[in-house]
């Protein structure tokens, strides 16, 4: 069988299929289940400096081809989350802590105090005042936040980018200038749903972020654009639910991929993607490195 092991963004991974931030990443036990199910690495739910309850419900609604969420960054704060990371680490794969803050200093402070194998900077949540894409849509802020965390921590730093911008490449270049070890593309697309009987928005927060199959083509395009210009690796996320989706995202230029909303099908999705990807590489007599960015070399 072809090797699926890969070195991405400063981490050695046994395979390139990771658990994405936000889904089943709130406890050490659920993160461990993802590693036992075959994930090559796991990303936690985003963690901030103080506890947050999140937005009022409803926080999640199923829509055609996807999921709309406005969780609102609920988390217990980094002080109470270290124990969960320690449990997650017993799963034997790298644990990447997703962190958020409202300033470069707040990001840096969290990274100084949290012990994880890498950090993924959430500069892209589409529906949280003063956080996420409210900073992450400005290239200069992406650069300064990335630089501050790089200076404060000794582990690799990945930057998760927002698709809710005119040009995601500008954001990727800013992350690279700030010293990022990789960029992660994409977070959810800003979206909403309305109940037609009452006329009320369905989500408590009125609008939220769209994930799942509907956003895969948007993510593929973002990864393609980023991978063709950046020198650092691009980690692809957005709507991947099968090995075929993973192959497509890797062909677009993703060095590894993350799976989020597809976890609604169960933890078996990791094994399905890993074994399907492996069988595909064998059938085509390709290595993972040869597959990565193939579409860019053909255009
Ligand atoms: O918690 C959330 O509502 C959330 C986050 Br942190 C994020 O990055 N993306 C998203 O769609 N929801």
């Amino acid at each position: 069988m072809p090797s699926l092991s890969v070195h991405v963004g400063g981490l050695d991974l046994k395979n390139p299929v990771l658990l994405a931030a936000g889904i089943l990443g709130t406890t050490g036990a659920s993160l461990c289940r993802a590693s036992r199910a075959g994930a090559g690495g796991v990303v936690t739910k985003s963690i901030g400096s103080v506890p947050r309850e999140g937005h009022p419900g409803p926080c999640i609604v199923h829509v055609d081809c996807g999921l709309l969420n406005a969780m609102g960054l609920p988390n217990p704060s980094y002080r109470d989350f270290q124990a969960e990371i320690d449990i997650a680490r017993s799963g034997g794969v790298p644990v990447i802590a997703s962190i958020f803050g409202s300033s470069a200093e707040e990001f840096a402070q969290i990274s100084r105090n949290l012990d994880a194998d890498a950090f993924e900077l959430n500069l892209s949540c589409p529906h949280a005042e003063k956080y996420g894409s409210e900073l992450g849509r400005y290239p200069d802020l992406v650069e300064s936040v990335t630089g501050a965390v790089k200076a404060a921590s000794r582990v690799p730093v990945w930057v998760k980018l927002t698709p809710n911008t005119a040009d995601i490449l500008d954001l990727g270049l800013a992350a690279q200038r700030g010293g990022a070890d990789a960029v992660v593309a994409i977070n959810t697309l800003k979206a909403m749903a309305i109940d037609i009987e009452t006329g009320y928005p369905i989500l408590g927060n009125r609008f939220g972020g769209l994930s799942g199959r509907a956003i895969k083509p948007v993510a593929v395009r973002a990864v393609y654009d980023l991978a063709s210009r950046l020198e650092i690796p691009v980690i692809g996320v957005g709507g991947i639910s099968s090995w075929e989706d993973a192959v497509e995202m890797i062909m677009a230029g993703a060095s590894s991929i993350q799976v989020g909303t597809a976890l609604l099908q169960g933890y078996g999705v990791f094994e399905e993607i890993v074994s399907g990807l492996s069988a595909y590489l064998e059938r085509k007599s390709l290595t993972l490195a040869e597959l990565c960015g193939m579409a860019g070399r053909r255009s």
Side-chain angles (χ1 to χ4, degrees):
M1 278 303 202
S3 167
L4 288 188
S5 67
V6 65
H7 183 80
V8 181
L11 292 182
D12 286 317
L13 306 173
K14 69 175 181 181
N15 72 59
V17 186
L18 312 182
L19 174 72
I23 306 258
L24 297 167
T26 52
T27 70
S30 61
L31 289 158
C32 267
R33 281 191 72 191
S35 12
R36 278 204 307 275
V42 293
V43 187
T44 70
K45 174 72 185 153
S46 295
I47 302 300
S49 58
V50 291
R52 273 176 68 98
E53 290 210 340
H55 291 319
C59 293
I60 291 188
V61 53
H62 282 271
V63 292
D64 290 343
C65 301
L67 199 68
L68 198 47
N69 90 85
M71 301 301 295
L73 300 130
N75 81 98
S77 96
Y78 67 84
R79 291 180 185 83
D80 281 349
F81 198 69
Q82 186 62 54
E84 304 301 332
I85 293 181
D86 296 341
I87 293 168
R89 274 176 150 168
S90 69
V93 301
V95 177
I96 299 106
S98 171
I99 60 173
F100 70 91
S102 60
S103 66
E105 182 39 46
E106 195 175 351
F107 270 95
Q109 185 216 349
I110 299 167
S111 71
R112 267 194 294 272
N113 288 286
L114 207 52
D115 183 18
D117 297 310
F119 291 110
E120 182 180 280
L121 310 187
N122 184 339
L123 285 164
S124 42
C125 177
H127 47 251
E129 218 174 302
K130 296 201 243 97
Y131 298 112
S133 61
E134 291 206 3
L135 281 75
R137 63 175 184 250
Y138 301 108
D140 54 339
L141 290 180
V142 171
E143 182 176 347
S144 60
V145 168
T146 308
V149 177
K150 278 301 284 182
S153 77
R154 277 168 295 144
V155 295
V157 176
W158 301 354
V159 179
K160 189 163 180 180
L161 304 174
T162 177
N164 301 302
T165 175
D167 190 359
I168 197 167
L169 181 57
D170 279 349
L171 303 177
L173 289 166
Q176 182 169 274
R177 282 195 302 278
D181 296 278
V183 292
V184 182
I186 55 174
N187 206 314
T188 53
L189 283 157
K190 202 166 184 174
M192 77 184 292
I194 296 168
D195 176 65
I196 62 164
E197 290 305 320
T198 62
Y200 282 101
I202 296 177
L203 291 171
N205 186 57
R206 289 175 295 127
F207 64 89
L210 180 65
S211 62
R213 283 178 187 276
I215 73 166
K216 194 194 71 180
V218 179
V220 168
R221 196 277 306 177
V223 167
Y224 184 89
D225 279 359
L226 289 161
S228 56
R229 285 287 304 282
L230 297 189
E231 274 145 38
I232 54 175
V234 181
I235 296 162
V237 54
I240 297 171
S241 63
S242 65
W243 67 262
E244 290 94 334
D245 295 338
V247 167
E248 185 181 0
M249 193 65 94
I250 296 168
M251 281 179 164
S255 300
S256 65
I257 58 128
Q258 297 181 350
V259 183
T261 302
L263 263 296
L264 294 179
Q265 301 161 29
Y267 282 100
V269 69
F270 289 115
E271 189 46 45
E272 276 169 43
I273 294 178
V274 168
S275 58
L277 177 59
S278 178
Y280 176 85
L281 291 174
E282 188 166 39
R283 177 161 59 82
K284 295 278 192 181
S285 299
L286 285 170
T287 63
L288 197 53
E290 287 164 345
L291 188 69
C292 181
M294 182 182 272
R297 294 190 294 277
R298 298 222 153 145
S299 43

